[in-house]
Amino acid sequence: MNVMPGKTAAGGPIDAATPVAATSTMGAGSAGVAATPAAMSIVLALSLCHFLNDTMQSMLSAIYPMLKDNYALTFGQIGLLTFTFQFTASLLQPVIGAYTDKRPVGYALPVGMGFTFAGLMLLAVAGHYWLLLAAASLVGLGSAVFHPESSRIARLASGGKHGTAQSIFQLGGNFGTAAGPLLAAFIVVPGGQSSVAWFCLAALCGMVILTWVSRWYGNYRRAAAGRPSVSTLLAHSRGRVIFTLAVLALLVFTKNIYMASFTSYYTFYVIERFNVSVQDAQLLLFLFLGAAAVGTIAGGPIGDRIGTKSVIWVSILGVLPFTLMLPYADLFWTSVLTVIIGMVLASAFPAIVVFAQEMVPGRVGLIAGLFFGFAFGMGGIAAAVLGQVADVKGIEYVYTVCSYLPFLGLLTIFLPSQRRMA
């Protein structure tokens, strides 16, 4: 049944809690609500909650130095904290995504944010190391629930503009990752461990917003109950799908290792190479993070226009000339190249997620969990490995080696044509 734009089937006006009839889009493999301002408000709400979630998530690692002093922790104990957080945040994401693909849980998102709230409150009052581990696992569990579920709902609310919706959604996470350490420096470090409790207000705000989003999702599911179920027929053989997902994972691997070299070590690199001040180094890092945010928001809409495979080509392989020049550039051109690399490379992830979701229709949560979890885990592992390399070979050597990583963008040639996925 077709529904006229601006009206529901009953003739009433559309609001954010009333999904309209779904239409299939080329390569979507799933239905989505019509593109209305009301539906897009759901995507914006999820982006805001992504900001809140990743702010709280990145704040945890930002206060490690304070926790190390307060509890006389060894680096091994710090590593176990990171492992506990990453295990729950990364490895559980595909499990939760696969479960909710088959058995949707209406209010999973606010419940997940509730785990984060509990983790932060426990972190604020913890007096023993094992309580810190429990707090880290709760924050990680909240993140593991949030990413696959919110990615699924963002796709449903996209009106077929899947790349645009993923870009908007991921933009919030980019800003949150950058904001967490900054807020920790101004709030937690001066106020002490107990001041972590202030971040519980952000979790409460997220729970309220996500309750509203879950209400919309529940209405969407009820409206879709009378329609035929979404086809899960693969456009390619099972083997080809698995191979394609492996290629996409390698591309994420390439992107996240290079991104980790910037987020973890770029300030040290420019200080050592150009003898700049800490403030100037932080400004250069801010340029990179800002450019990455621009690339994230641009990658999705461009992919909707020219195809996600084209965006992946340009983003991964196209950045190669700039990464190869970076280790030999002076300070001015390092600044310019930093902006270009951040913008171009960051545009890949929304396109990769959308491409993967279209390869496996009807498994949006599983795919989102796999790729968000894999990206997050790879970032942490890469940072640790690159740190060891920097200790042995020097920080400038790290950027020389990493400059060749975009060569792996040639793997894009193995991705299937999107016309066959229509």
Side-chain angles (χ1 to χ4, degrees):
M1 179 180 68
N2 293 325
V3 179
M4 293 299 291
K7 297 286 186 179
T8 65
I14 295 170
D15 61 28
T18 309
V20 296
T23 56
S24 293
T25 58
M26 184 176 71
S30 62
V33 298
T36 67
M40 190 53 68
S41 69
I42 297 296
V43 178
L44 293 173
L46 289 169
S47 181
L48 174 59
C49 290
H50 200 180
F51 168 80
L52 296 174
N53 179 83
D54 284 23
T55 296
M56 295 179 286
Q57 179 179 285
S58 62
M59 182 274 302
L60 177 63
S61 58
I63 65 172
Y64 278 173
M66 182 185 70
L67 295 178
K68 187 175 187 297
D69 291 339
N70 289 352
Y71 295 88
L73 301 179
T74 65
F75 284 112
Q77 289 174 310
I78 291 291
L80 184 57
L81 265 177
T82 300
F83 173 80
T84 301
F85 170 66
Q86 288 189 344
F87 177 84
T88 52
S90 299
L91 299 185
L92 290 183
Q93 283 195 44
V95 176
I96 292 171
Y99 179 85
T100 54
D101 278 336
K102 296 182 178 180
R103 301 175 182 84
V105 181
Y107 283 85
L109 283 173
V111 171
M113 192 65 76
F115 286 123
T116 301
F117 174 88
L120 292 174
M121 187 59 71
L122 182 58
L123 184 61
V125 301
H128 301 280
Y129 176 67
W130 69 269
L131 289 175
L132 295 179
L133 292 174
S137 66
L138 285 171
V139 174
L141 181 57
S143 186
V145 174
F146 175 80
H147 284 102
E149 277 297 282
S150 53
S151 181
R152 177 209 316 282
I153 298 176
R155 184 177 177 89
L156 290 175
S158 67
K161 297 180 179 179
H162 303 134
T164 300
Q166 279 296 322
S167 285
I168 295 173
F169 169 64
Q170 290 174 32
L171 183 66
N174 282 10
F175 281 124
T177 299
L182 187 65
L183 293 175
F186 284 100
I187 297 175
V188 181
V189 174
Q193 183 179 339
S194 61
S195 63
V196 170
W198 285 108
F199 286 83
C200 291
L201 295 175
L204 282 174
C205 180
M207 291 172 69
V208 171
I209 297 171
L210 292 174
T211 299
W212 174 70
V213 170
S214 296
R215 176 173 171 263
W216 179 92
Y217 181 41
N219 288 339
Y220 177 92
R221 288 173 55 208
R222 283 189 289 273
R227 298 196 294 270
S229 59
V230 173
S231 172
T232 57
L233 183 66
L234 299 177
H236 301 272
S237 68
R238 182 179 178 84
R240 183 65 189 275
V241 169
I242 293 173
F243 176 76
T244 299
L245 294 180
V247 169
L248 292 171
L250 283 172
L251 293 174
V252 170
F253 174 79
T254 300
K255 169 191 173 295
N256 276 77
I257 289 182
Y258 199 88
M259 294 291 283
S261 73
F262 270 81
T263 55
S264 298
Y265 304 109
Y266 185 63
T267 52
F268 299 105
Y269 170 73
V270 293
I271 288 172
E272 179 173 316
R273 179 164 170 76
F274 302 111
N275 197 31
V276 300
S277 66
V278 174
Q279 290 83 358
D280 287 341
Q282 292 288 352
L283 180 59
L284 287 169
L285 179 60
F286 175 77
L287 284 176
F288 174 79
L289 294 174
V294 173
T296 298
I297 194 63
I302 294 173
D304 286 336
R305 280 185 174 272
I306 68 173
T308 52
K309 186 174 179 179
S310 298
V311 173
I312 295 170
W313 267 119
V314 173
S315 182
I316 304 294
L317 189 62
V319 79
L320 179 62
F322 307 107
T323 61
L324 291 175
M325 286 189 285
L326 182 68
Y328 310 101
D330 60 20
L331 180 59
F332 171 78
W333 284 108
T334 293
S335 304
V336 173
L337 291 171
T338 293
V339 171
I340 296 172
I341 291 170
M343 189 180 304
V344 176
L345 197 59
S347 65
F349 195 61
I352 289 173
V353 171
V354 170
F355 198 102
Q357 288 174 338
E358 292 178 349
M359 286 294 298
V360 192
R363 306 303 298 273
V364 175
L366 171 62
I367 295 301
L370 279 171
F371 279 86
F372 278 104
F374 183 73
F376 182 81
M378 282 300 100
I381 294 171
V385 172
L386 292 177
Q388 295 295 322
V389 173
D391 284 339
V392 175
K393 293 286 190 176
I395 193 65
E396 293 185 32
Y397 180 81
V398 167
Y399 285 86
T400 301
V401 171
C402 287
S403 68
Y404 294 95
L405 283 172
F407 267 120
L408 290 176
L410 289 169
L411 292 171
T412 306
I413 198 172
F414 295 111
L415 298 180
S417 169
Q418 290 180 284
R419 287 192 296 270
R420 290 194 58 194
M421 295 161 59

